[in-house]
Amino acid sequence: MMIQISFYLTLALYGVATLLYLGCLLPKAPCLAAIARKVLIAGFLAHCLSTIHRYIAAGHLPITNMHESLSFFALSIVAAYLYFEFRFRVTTLGSFVIPLALLVMIGSSRFSSGLYPLNPALQSVWIYSHTVLAFGAYAFFTIAGGVAGMYLIQSHFLKKKQLGTLFQKLPSLDTLDEIGYRCLSFGFPMLTLGIITGAIWAAQAWGSYWSWDPKETWSLITWFVYAALLHGRLTTGWRGRRAAWLTVAGFLIMLFTFIGVNLWMPGLHSYN
Amino acid sequence: MNIIVVGLSHKTASVDIREKVAFSPNSIEQPLKALLALEGIVEGVIVSTCNRVEIYATTRDIAGGIGRIRRFLADWHHLPFDLIEPHLYSYHGEAAIRHVFRVASSLDSMVVGEPQILGQIKTSYGYAAEYGTSGIILNRFLHKAFSVAKRVRTETRIASSAVSVSFAAVELARKIFDSLSDKTVLLIGAGEMCELAARHFLTNGAKGVLVTNRTFEKAQRLADEFAGQAIPFEELFDHLHKADIILTSTGAPHFIVTPKDLKAVIQRRRMKPMFMIDIAVPRDIDPAVNDLDAVYLYDMDDLQQVVAVNLEGRKQEAEKAEAIVAEEIIQFNKWIATLEVTPTIVALRTHLDELRQAEVARTLAGWKEAPPDAEKRLELLTTALINKILHQPTMALKKTGQGNRTDLYLDALRALFDLELGSTDRDDSLELEE
């Protein structure tokens, strides 16, 4: 019961925060940003509470079904967003990322929230490192995707000389580039380590490091996309609009790896 | 005493003529002294900028003074008079006052409202004051011009259009680069707008300036002004990658930067964005470079569009500015009039006579046993006394009427006796000294 209450409280607070963050994009909205941030932090705390409740009730990290993992994904996105909001003071990023977190939470609420015991085969300390790393990577890639979208919009405005309200509100290209690059340089090692720890865990649980399970295959595809992006950045300084498009593409592929594979491609990673 | 103006500007002469007649600010003392040595020239100030060379002077002989200064401009620079003669303009009296007020207010500038000209005139005046070639009239005149410029700047939005274009450029740069503190500005060619924008970038924290020009000396001069680095024009593409913000305004008839040129530059820059501002007409940069991923190109029209300069609004502001100038001319003319000998003597006489009459009336009022002819006698006595007192100064003034110190005497007289004639506000001149 408590779990339900804190979950729906989180949902409601994220809903309000989303409206406030979107309101920040309106022409005359000077002080919405501060309120939006407070509501989001409240939502984040409620979310943490809900997750801890669930952790205690289930006896393991609540990421074993669609309901739980989507909720945990949203939690990771909000945590990563809050870091960037405080680090770079970019409220407009919230207008792009927080609605995504809300959508993920709504998605989560559509799935059964029943508590299930963990498959004994998966009970291992690796569950923490593998999943937390994977979710961290997902969260950073989500922010990178949002930032890349903003970069594309902002550079479109600059190229076409459409310098309206949204242009004024969006951060500079360099700031967006910096946040995007930072997201990748956090997310990519996390994804890499996530895949490695996953392989070790798989060897323990299923007896094989790599079995070309759809999740594994798609993670590898995701990994290659981000590896290409980072490689380009480190060698030739690759950035700009084309890099932003690839970052958006990487985000969509990552989303498919995370959600699509589970929904449509049965395999070892399918829940329940 | 008359104010005269002789000069040429971007409106009457091309750059190559303007350059030939320009005075170097480093050695302005000799030409100032030579100017004052001309027959009939009492005071003189030389203003020399890249867009104008003007001499402000006072003289009693308008036609002769103007003629001699026109010759002086050619002779000093060892130029044939015929070369510069068609480009020269000259004004005297009210037209001269109007001209200088308008120039100081930047109403006569190439980019109307650009703020540099005022500073340049102040500097020029500073030299004249330092070398003692400006006197009571030009001091007053130029201080008045500065205050007119100040009024125009604060009471109209004439300055905002020029400033706002460079302001818009800086704002745009902030939307690309965030911080300008590690950014380098490159100036290709010279132009008032370009320099203004570069200055704006520097005051907003840009790290350094590179300057290039087909004439290397010009680049060097401008680079010195900005404490930047001059680059030979041929080596432009060897240095282009260092620049984050590029301002161009050359007179080249064709594009000097094309997408092909930039591809290698972008690679060298590791694809970091470049902000290019093309102020030249015809344009210096192929508009196609805007399609390159890392390049954001703006031309003058784009920037003007950004600030949405309302043409109708600008016209109104210009009219307002002209009205201020006209108003100030009337004021200044009043003061000039007080420097004429006769009205001053008349004013002094009137002043003393008023005092005399008041005293006579007061004495009679308190004199109970006054004889019947007391009033007549008092009148005679006091009038004779004033006439005697005034006789010597009046003669002296009339005698020095041809000399240079008359203005000084007249001004002192006005100040000492607080003469009402052509009331000019004293506070005004105090405020100007700041």
Side-chain angles (χ1 to χ4, degrees), chain A residues 158-159 161 168 170 235 241, chain B residues 175 290 292 295 297-298:
Chain A
L158 277 164
K159 291 267 182 200
K161 282 90 185 174
Q168 298 300 337
L170 285 172
T235 50
R241 283 184 299 170
Chain B
K175 281 293 180 189
N290 195 41
L292 293 170
V295 179
L297 171 68
Y298 280 70

Side-chain angles (χ1 to χ4, degrees), chain B residues 172-275:
Chain B
L172 278 170
R174 285 231 171 90
K175 281 293 180 189
I176 297 173
F177 300 119
D178 197 38
S179 153
L180 300 180
S181 61
D182 56 346
K183 299 295 178 276
T184 301
V185 181
L186 168 66
L187 279 163
I188 307 178
E192 211 169 339
M193 200 58 231
C194 246
E195 285 183 45
L196 184 65
R199 222 172 279 279
H200 230 74
F201 276 112
L202 279 181
T203 49
N204 280 281
K207 186 183 66 175
V209 178
L210 303 172
V211 185
T212 186
N213 198 309
R214 281 198 202 277
T215 322
F216 185 72
E217 290 71 40
K218 271 194 219 162
Q220 189 65 60
R221 212 183 306 148
L222 202 55
D224 290 347
E225 208 175 305
F226 287 122
Q229 187 199 340
I231 294 165
F233 193 75
E234 307 72 49
E235 292 170 25
L236 171 63
F237 288 102
D238 300 329
H239 295 272
L240 201 52
H241 68 279
K242 294 180 197 157
D244 304 286
I245 298 154
I246 294 144
L247 298 157
T248 67
S249 65
T250 76
H254 50 80
F255 297 140
I256 53 169
V257 180
T258 64
K260 224 177 89 201
D261 301 322
L262 278 184
K263 285 217 170 99
V265 173
I266 289 168
Q267 263 181 19
R268 270 181 99 169
R269 289 177 52 77
R270 295 179 58 84
M271 303 188 67
K272 284 193 207 114
M274 297 172 96
F275 181 29

Side-chain angles (χ1 to χ4, degrees), chain A residues 70 73 77 100 104 134-145 184 187 191 215 218-223 225-226 246-262:
Chain A
L70 284 178
F73 179 39
I77 294 174
L100 269 176
V104 172
F135 277 96
Y138 290 164
F140 282 120
F141 291 155
T142 303
I143 304 232
L184 292 190
L191 181 65
K215 190 80 152 191
W218 278 93
S219 316
L220 201 63
I221 294 172
T222 312
W223 188 88
V225 171
Y226 287 110
L246 189 58
T247 312
V248 172
F251 168 64
L252 295 176
I253 293 169
M254 178 221 95
L255 219 53
F256 183 76
T257 307
F258 175 39
I259 299 168
V261 168
N262 280 72

Side-chain angles (χ1 to χ4, degrees), chain A residues 15-221:
Chain A
V16 176
T18 298
L19 288 177
L20 289 168
Y21 273 111
L22 288 177
C24 288
L25 294 181
L26 295 174
K28 279 165 196 149
C31 43
L32 278 184
I35 308 170
R37 187 186 314 144
K38 285 191 185 110
V39 173
L40 182 67
I41 291 172
F44 179 68
L45 293 175
H47 204 169
C48 289
L49 208 65
S50 150
T51 310
I52 292 166
H53 270 140
R54 212 176 164 86
Y55 179 87
I56 294 165
H60 54 81
L61 203 60
I63 42 162
T64 53
N65 58 33
M66 221 43 193
H67 171 78
E68 289 176 351
S69 25
L70 284 178
S71 169
F72 199 76
F73 179 39
L75 182 75
S76 319
I77 294 174
V78 173
Y81 168 72
L82 284 173
Y83 163 75
F84 285 109
E85 156 117 27
F86 281 104
R87 177 71 181 69
F88 288 93
R89 298 264 151 218
V90 277
T91 321
T92 32
L93 179 58
S95 316
F96 287 77
V97 170
I98 299 309
L100 269 176
L102 177 69
L103 280 179
V104 172
M105 278 305 268
I106 292 171
S108 165
S109 72
R110 309 292 296 164
F111 289 92
S112 153
S113 63
L115 288 164
Y116 304 95
L118 189 62
N119 183 341
L122 298 179
Q123 280 172 3
S124 152
V125 333
W126 292 107
I127 188 174
Y128 298 101
S129 44
H130 171 61
T131 51
V132 167
L133 284 167
F135 277 96
Y138 290 164
F140 282 120
F141 291 155
T142 303
I143 304 232
V147 166
M150 290 163 78
Y151 188 100
L152 290 170
I153 294 171
Q154 187 70 315
S155 83
H156 175 84
F157 284 151
L158 277 164
K159 291 267 182 200
K160 300 288 176 218
K161 282 90 185 174
Q162 292 165 359
L163 313 176
T165 313
L166 188 54
F167 167 78
Q168 298 300 337
K169 300 250 172 179
L170 285 172
S172 68
L173 292 181
D174 270 6
T175 307
L176 291 169
D177 182 63
E178 167 79 20
I179 298 176
Y181 178 59
R182 206 168 275 229
C183 281
L184 292 190
S185 47
F186 289 158
F188 185 72
M190 287 174 116
L191 181 65
T192 312
L193 286 172
I195 291 174
I196 293 170
T197 52
I200 298 170
W201 188 17
Q204 287 184 357
W206 304 321
S208 160
Y209 286 104
W210 198 267
S211 33
W212 296 106
D213 162 74
K215 190 80 152 191
E216 292 171 359
T217 313
W218 278 93
S219 316
L220 201 63
I221 294 172

Side-chain angles (χ1 to χ4, degrees), chain B residues 140 143-144 147 331 423-434:
Chain B
R140 183 80 180 207
H143 277 139
K144 194 73 198 173
S147 82
Q331 283 251 339
S423 69
T424 36
D425 29 350
R426 291 257 119 199
D427 301 342
D428 186 29
S429 63
L430 280 177
E431 176 211 12
L432 288 169
E433 301 298 335
E434 57 175 340

